[in-house]
Amino acid sequence: MKMKFSIYRYNPDTDKKPRMQDYELEIEEGSDMMVLDALLALKDQDPTLSFRRSCREGVCGSDGVNMNGKNGLACITPLSDLKGSKVVIRPLPGLPVIRDLVVDMAQFYRQYEKVRPYLINNDEPPAREHLQSPKDRAKLDGLYECILCACCSTSCPSFWWNPDKFVGPSGLLQAYRFLIDSRDTETQSRLADLDDAYSVFRCRGIMNCVDVCPKGLNPTQAIGHIRSMLLQQGV
Amino acid sequence: MNLLKIRNHHFLFHNREDIDIVNKNRPVNLNLATIKFPVTSISSILHRITGVLLFLSIPLCLWALQLSLTPAGFAEVKSVMSGGIVKFISWAILSMLAYHIIAGLRHLMMDAGIGETLEGGRFGAYSVIVLGVVSAALLGVWIW
């Protein structure tokens, strides 16, 4: 079975503008493969095709791309999941393209840095470690699993229009992960950092983030919790 | 060599200005026609569009309201409102208002933590669109 692909190409040294290039791949009848395997096979045909990948099992978060209009990880998206006669692969939307499917993630990481994504505890250091009850630990489930692939933030219209001011779904999920951590003592200053018209409140509940997250996480819900915390602090 | 230096800086995220130099000519993939939007985003953009159109219709509505405050003006507005196109416009405004209110109620529910899961969000968005269409149909029956 011949499968058709249309892939976004841009080479900064030779191209003025990006273009779509068609490819064909022979796939054994009745078999399936991940989009990343298809991309690697296409790279054998055309070694100039560039994309990021590393662990090839949905853990490292490097191969986030837009497949048939939806963001996801190429390594854990089977070709059979993509409907239509042609598989269209484009880079993650909204971020500057360095080359082909490789985007510049600097804006995304800058928002991540802003939320101080590390535990801060200003109490006297304990003799061994900061203890946490299983109940408090359970509050981090659904938050700590984020792999920073940027699928969510680059599917979010609020992030497209304000990538410098809106923290974005990924950053806010991480922000909540530390706001709710019982061992963190900087809750108040973390909330104060987010208390403006853009950082959190540019979220309009569009839920594209939840729709695309390859780890099945829910940034919309985390943002809702941050809003409630900000509200509680305000009254 | 110079180029190499700029690029190295960029990968280390040292200096914002260096990044901007490199960024200047980079394309951005943001052709909305190539992006698939789930039902939650359709219901959201309809909320925004109806909001903008309702805002633009405020002068028209206020003007009609002011005109209708005298008995003679009321009769005039009433006769204008019975015209085919004007009927359609008032139906459109009322339908958009109905959709906007229903979508707004969903927002309030989501603020209260209801319907924030993927399934809940999809159900809410579908419900808002279906209820919006039903209200538009009922308003049409009422007006015509």
Side-chain angles (χ1 to χ4, degrees):
Chain A
M1 186 180 65
K2 274 223 185 318
M3 192 130 189
K4 287 184 176 145
F5 291 83
S6 172
I7 300 180
Y8 183 101
R9 301 299 313 270
Y10 172 73
N11 179 343
D13 296 329
T14 57
D15 298 337
K16 278 222 160 63
K17 279 198 307 190
R19 62 199 159 83
M20 298 304 289
Q21 187 173 338
D22 286 337
Y23 292 93
E24 269 189 356
L25 193 63
E26 187 61 47
I27 294 165
E28 208 178 306
E29 204 68 48
S31 73
D32 200 0
M33 60 166 77
M34 296 299 174
V35 174
L36 179 63
D37 297 320
L39 280 172
L40 288 165
L42 292 174
K43 195 176 168 68
D44 281 340
Q45 284 179 26
D46 175 2
T48 66
L49 178 62
S50 303
F51 48 88
R52 288 198 182 104
R53 83 275 181 276
S54 181
C55 77
R56 59 96 186 97
E57 55 182 8
V59 175
C60 75
S62 2
D63 65 349
V65 287
N66 186 275
M67 296 163 285
N68 281 3
K70 188 175 174 182
N71 290 354
L73 298 177
C75 55
I76 54 171
T77 305
L79 280 180
S80 55
D81 268 14
L82 304 172
K83 308 272 184 292
S85 56
K86 206 185 229 184
V87 175
V88 181
I89 304 179
R90 303 171 64 95
L92 291 175
L95 294 178
V97 175
I98 297 172
R99 180 183 168 129
D100 299 343
L101 303 174
V102 180
V103 291
D104 179 356
M105 309 262 283
Q107 277 174 326
F108 175 79
Y109 291 139
R110 225 174 271 140
Q111 294 300 343
Y112 180 55
E113 275 178 47
K114 258 198 210 169
V115 307
R116 293 185 284 163
Y118 38 84
L119 191 84
I120 308 173
N121 187 310
N122 296 324
D123 295 342
E124 198 63 33
R128 298 192 63 162
E129 63 202 290
H130 293 293
L131 294 175
Q132 188 170 44
S133 71
K135 202 169 140 241
D136 281 335
R137 167 60 189 78
K139 290 178 184 164
L140 310 183
D141 289 339
L143 303 169
Y144 79 91
E145 298 93 330
C146 174
I147 55 171
L148 297 174
C149 64
C151 285
C152 59
S153 291
T154 60
S155 73
C156 173
S158 300
F159 189 74
W160 291 340
W161 316 135
N162 291 290
D164 50 340
K165 287 185 272 186
F166 175 50
V167 173
S170 171
L172 289 171
L173 188 91
Q174 296 289 332
Y176 185 60
R177 182 246 171 278
F178 289 99
L179 280 168
I180 200 66
D181 194 316
S182 61
R183 300 162 298 178
D184 195 279
T185 57
E186 280 302 295
T187 314
Q188 294 308 312
S189 76
R190 286 180 189 278
L191 284 175
D193 286 348
L194 295 170
D195 195 3
D196 59 72
Y198 280 92
S199 299
V200 178
F201 290 97
R202 274 281 136 168
C203 168
R204 305 297 191 209
I206 300 169
M207 294 184 86
N208 284 4
C209 52
V210 191
D211 188 54
V212 300
C213 178
K215 309 301 277 185
L217 309 179
N218 191 328
T220 301
Q221 204 154 40
I223 294 167
H225 289 313
I226 298 176
R227 281 175 167 159
S228 300
M229 289 176 94
L230 282 166
L231 182 70
Q232 266 165 4
Q233 202 193 31
V235 292
Chain B
M1 189 58 213
N2 221 355
L3 186 69
L4 192 71
K5 208 171 148 196
I6 290 173
R7 289 208 169 149
N8 280 343
H9 266 270
H10 159 233
F11 286 127
L12 293 169
F13 305 115
H14 267 164
N15 188 327
R16 242 187 129 143
E17 280 155 36
D18 287 349
I19 294 170
D20 291 341
I21 290 168
V22 180
N23 273 355
K24 238 166 218 162
N25 298 312
R26 282 185 178 158
V28 172
N29 166 36
L30 198 52
N31 179 351
L32 297 187
T34 66
I35 295 169
K36 212 188 294 173
F37 290 96
V39 65
T40 47
S41 59
I42 304 295
S43 115
S44 174
I45 194 65
L46 284 174
H47 193 205
R48 176 66 61 92
I49 292 169
T50 52
V52 170
L53 292 176
L54 283 171
F55 177 74
L56 294 177
S57 73
I58 288 175
L60 193 73
C61 298
L62 283 181
W63 171 77
L65 176 67
Q66 197 213 14
L67 199 67
S68 70
L69 291 180
T70 62
F74 187 83
E76 197 190 328
V77 172
K78 204 177 165 190
S79 79
V80 170
M81 294 281 264
S82 61
I85 295 171
V86 183
K87 260 189 181 175
F88 177 79
I89 293 173
S90 42
W91 169 76
I93 290 175
L94 287 173
S95 300
M96 291 191 298
L97 183 64
Y99 180 86
H100 199 78
I101 289 173
I102 297 165
L105 289 173
R106 175 170 170 250
H107 258 304
L108 289 177
M109 283 169 68
M110 285 177 71
D111 282 343
I114 302 166
E116 279 185 325
T117 60
L118 185 54
E119 298 74 27
R122 278 184 189 148
F123 178 75
Y126 273 121
S127 307
V128 166
I129 292 172
V130 168
L131 287 174
V133 171
V134 170
S135 328
L138 291 176
L139 285 164
V141 170
W142 179 58
I143 288 177
W144 276 287

